[in-house]
Amino acid sequence: EVLLVESGGGLVQPGGSLRLSCATSGFTFSTSNINWVRQAPGQGLEWVLGIDTHSRTTYYADSVKGRFTISRDNAASTVYLNMNNLKPEDTAMYSCTTHYAGTTYSGQGTQVTVST
């Protein structure tokens, strides 16, 4: 069974930082690209950034460039999303997703709220 489990979300003040984790199992992690997406209340799904099997980053959202970074630990089958200088507009449910054997899988997400 393919599983992706996000953690690390929470409430943070503007300008603060958070580190999200995406722990995975059930598929060949080292040969899989992993992406982070987010959905703000009342908004559609937004692709944020992703990491390929060579640890190269693709930014889908210009708004996070220079603030968010992504990394992976193949030994732990885990991807990390480091978020710095958080803004209220970053408030959303963050999920990690992968495409494996013809199917797209996502976790249930972790909530990030940026507010005073």
Side-chain angles (χ1 to χ4, degrees):
E1 179 186 13
V2 174
L3 288 175
L4 298 95
V5 180
E6 303 90 343
S7 62
L11 174 64
V12 62
Q13 292 187 343
S17 298
L18 280 176
R19 188 193 200 200
L20 306 185
S21 299
C22 171
T24 75
S25 62
F27 63 101
T28 310
F29 178 84
S30 61
T31 60
S32 299
N33 299 339
I34 307 292
N35 296 293
W36 284 94
V37 298
R38 66 185 180 184
Q39 187 161 23
Q43 303 293 318
L45 195 66
E46 180 184 28
W47 287 69
V48 183
L49 75 173
I51 188 165
D52 69 11
T53 59
H54 299 286
S55 293
R56 293 173 297 201
T57 301
T58 298
Y59 285 95
Y60 302 110
D62 288 341
S63 63
V64 306
K65 288 181 180 178
R67 301 188 298 121
F68 289 14
T69 59
I70 188 172
S71 61
R72 65 189 297 154
D73 182 344
N74 287 343
S77 298
T78 300
V79 167
Y80 302 99
L81 174 60
N82 292 289
M83 306 186 295
N84 298 311
N85 190 21
L86 282 160
K87 304 176 180 181
E89 51 264 41
D90 294 317
T91 295
M93 180 70 75
Y94 285 73
S95 302
C96 53
T97 180
T98 192
H99 193 76
Y100 182 74
T103 301
T104 298
Y105 297 91
S106 298
Q108 292 199 336
T110 186
Q111 178 67 38
V112 171
T113 302
V114 185
S115 176
T116 55

